Amino acid sequence: MTDTLQMLVTIAVIALATFATRFLPFMCFGSREPPAMLSVIEKNLPPMILLLLVIYCLKDVQWLAAPYGIPELFTIGIVAGLHFWKRNAMLSIFTGTALYMALVQFHVFSFF
């Protein structure tokens, strides 16, 4: 298969999958209430995903070597405080990302 044909097939499959994931819930639940189990998943999935993201982000931190995970812990504290203060997930996520990138890029905690 040529590169162009492979790229077009890939784009078509991705577009079809995206369309299907947007269209199927309306087909399945358009005229009735979703099952109770789906409501439980809908309520609990965002915190579970965020917990998995935090665990994934901290998995490679060198806790016994400088800077001992201080940028990560500092950023987690700032994000948690900002989120509890403003209750705005987007603000917390973007501020935490920018803060962590700045701390690591400018070696703020490199004095250890």
Side-chain angles (χ1 to χ4, degrees):
M1 192 177 332
T2 65
D3 289 338
T4 305
L5 181 60
Q6 184 177 4
M7 192 178 345
L8 290 175
V9 169
T10 302
I11 291 171
V13 168
I14 291 171
L16 184 62
T18 302
F19 179 75
T21 58
R22 303 297 191 263
F23 182 70
L24 281 175
F26 292 104
M27 287 298 297
C28 295
F29 305 114
S31 61
R32 62 184 175 95
E33 286 292 316
M37 184 62 180
L38 192 60
S39 297
V40 170
I41 291 172
E42 177 185 18
K43 178 183 174 190
N44 295 320
L45 193 60
M48 288 188 291
I49 290 173
L50 287 175
L51 179 62
L52 285 174
L53 286 171
V54 169
I55 292 169
Y56 178 77
C57 290
L58 294 177
K59 72 178 178 61
D60 292 328
V61 174
Q62 298 296 320
W63 299 104
L64 300 177
Y68 308 104
I70 293 173
E72 290 84 0
L73 294 175
F74 181 75
T75 306
I76 288 171
I78 295 294
V79 168
L82 185 62
H83 185 71
F84 287 127
W85 178 40
K86 290 290 187 178
R87 298 281 183 199
N88 186 334
M90 296 306 286
L91 176 66
S92 303
I93 290 168
F94 287 126
T95 302
T97 302
L99 179 62
Y100 178 73
M101 288 170 44
L103 291 175
V104 172
Q105 181 67 32
F106 297 118
H107 305 287
V108 173
F109 294 104
S110 63
F111 55 86
F112 288 106

